[in-house]
Amino acid sequence: MIDSLNLQPIAVVRSAFKEKFGIPRQPGLANSIISTIELLPEFASAEAVRGLEQASHIWLIFVFSECVDKGWSPLVRPPRLGGNKKLGVFATRSPFRPNPVGLSPVKLEAVRVEGNKVFLDVRGADLLDGTPILDIKPYLPYSDVIEDAEFAVADKIEKLDLPVVFSPEAKTVCELYEQNSGSSLTEQICDILSCDPRPAYKKNDSERVYGVKLHNFDIRWQITNDQIYVESIVSTGT
């Protein structure tokens, strides 16, 4: 029996998500956002990723790095249940676990070998910028898809069916970003806010203005009964 393991990260995530708040709670919910997995120097060889480009999707095994020193409890309150009901930690995807390890299936957009560096561009990752990656595996459609799988607690995707309305100032920032980057900041913000990042116990407060960081922007927004309103988008300069 192995009493302990010493696991070494093989890569790090370069992500638009600069803080935990606002990150979709599951992968694949913000598919407009592309993240990059950068292999660390010891593992960054073209040989190590040979053939991976044939996979449409990959598994990322990672460390909940922000939770390493936070401890764990056998019972947790899943946000999906409104934060009022408890489930066993092993019946949830809570990051506060005995071993703070997670896994996410993501769409592989590109494998890039640039000199002595190796990058994987992925779509739909729910990972904080700087997250350590422990392993990368190809997604196997014939075995990783279980057609009759069930889990009554979370049996469907939950997203808000509300229009996202941008203030004129916020809309201008989005237009400038798209001109300079070629990607849609509008779509990325819509993806994130439709996942409703608000804590469960605050969802009845339609007056509260929230902030979420994405790329180098501080985005201020609120959710009412009939819309998601993006009030401002301000560059943080970092």
Side-chain angles (χ1 to χ4, degrees):
M1 177 179 176
I2 299 175
D3 293 325
S4 63
L5 288 174
N6 227 350
L7 298 179
Q8 179 182 0
I10 64 162
V12 66
V13 175
R14 306 303 182 194
S15 165
F17 300 116
K18 307 304 180 183
E19 61 181 14
K20 287 167 57 180
F21 182 67
I23 298 179
R25 296 188 177 99
Q26 300 298 336
L29 298 182
N31 284 317
S32 60
I33 297 177
I34 293 180
S35 302
T36 296
I37 311 303
E38 180 179 353
L39 270 65
L40 297 178
E42 184 176 346
F43 308 99
S45 71
E47 288 79 7
V49 294
R50 182 187 298 170
L52 189 60
E53 74 284 351
Q54 299 177 66
S56 66
H57 294 73
I58 58 176
W59 288 102
L60 301 177
I61 294 88
F62 62 92
V63 176
F64 289 108
S65 51
E66 295 290 298
C67 303
V68 168
D69 58 353
K70 301 292 195 301
W72 72 284
S73 170
L75 291 174
V76 299
R77 300 176 185 271
R80 191 172 185 111
L81 299 182
N84 298 316
K85 298 180 181 179
K86 292 184 178 181
L87 285 180
V89 64
F90 299 129
T92 75
R93 298 285 186 93
S94 169
F96 302 100
R97 318 183 70 79
N99 294 310
V101 175
L103 76 165
S104 289
V106 295
K107 180 172 175 53
L108 180 61
E109 292 290 331
V111 178
R112 295 185 285 117
V113 179
E114 300 177 0
N116 60 354
K117 295 187 176 183
V118 177
F119 305 94
L120 308 178
D121 296 325
V122 300
R123 187 180 295 274
D126 54 338
L127 302 177
L128 183 70
D129 186 53
T131 293
I133 300 295
L134 295 177
D135 203 3
I136 297 164
K137 300 179 186 293
Y139 184 97
L140 303 180
Y142 71 86
S143 65
D144 291 348
V145 175
I146 303 174
E147 298 292 347
D148 58 350
E150 296 181 4
F151 187 43
V153 173
D155 59 351
K156 62 181 179 180
I157 295 173
E158 289 189 348
K159 299 189 80 171
L160 294 174
D161 186 20
L162 293 174
V164 183
V165 178
F166 291 74
S167 71
E169 295 78 12
K171 188 178 296 185
T172 297
V173 174
C174 289
E175 290 170 350
L176 289 173
Y177 181 87
E178 185 164 358
Q179 291 173 14
N180 293 328
S181 70
S183 61
S184 175
L185 183 61
T186 301
E187 185 179 3
Q188 294 175 35
I189 293 172
C190 289
D191 271 355
I192 292 169
L193 299 188
S194 293
C195 291
D196 196 354
R198 297 174 300 173
Y201 63 91
K202 292 183 178 178
K203 290 187 177 182
N204 293 325
D205 185 359
S206 61
E207 300 295 320
R208 186 180 179 92
V209 177
Y210 294 88
V212 65
K213 296 186 184 302
L214 184 69
H215 299 292
N216 63 332
F217 295 109
D218 187 0
I219 301 160
R220 309 294 292 180
W221 51 277
Q222 65 180 153
I223 298 178
T224 64
N225 291 330
D226 57 1
Q227 70 177 9
I228 303 170
Y229 183 68
V230 180
E231 181 179 285
S232 65
I233 305 174
V234 178
S235 174
T236 62
T238 57

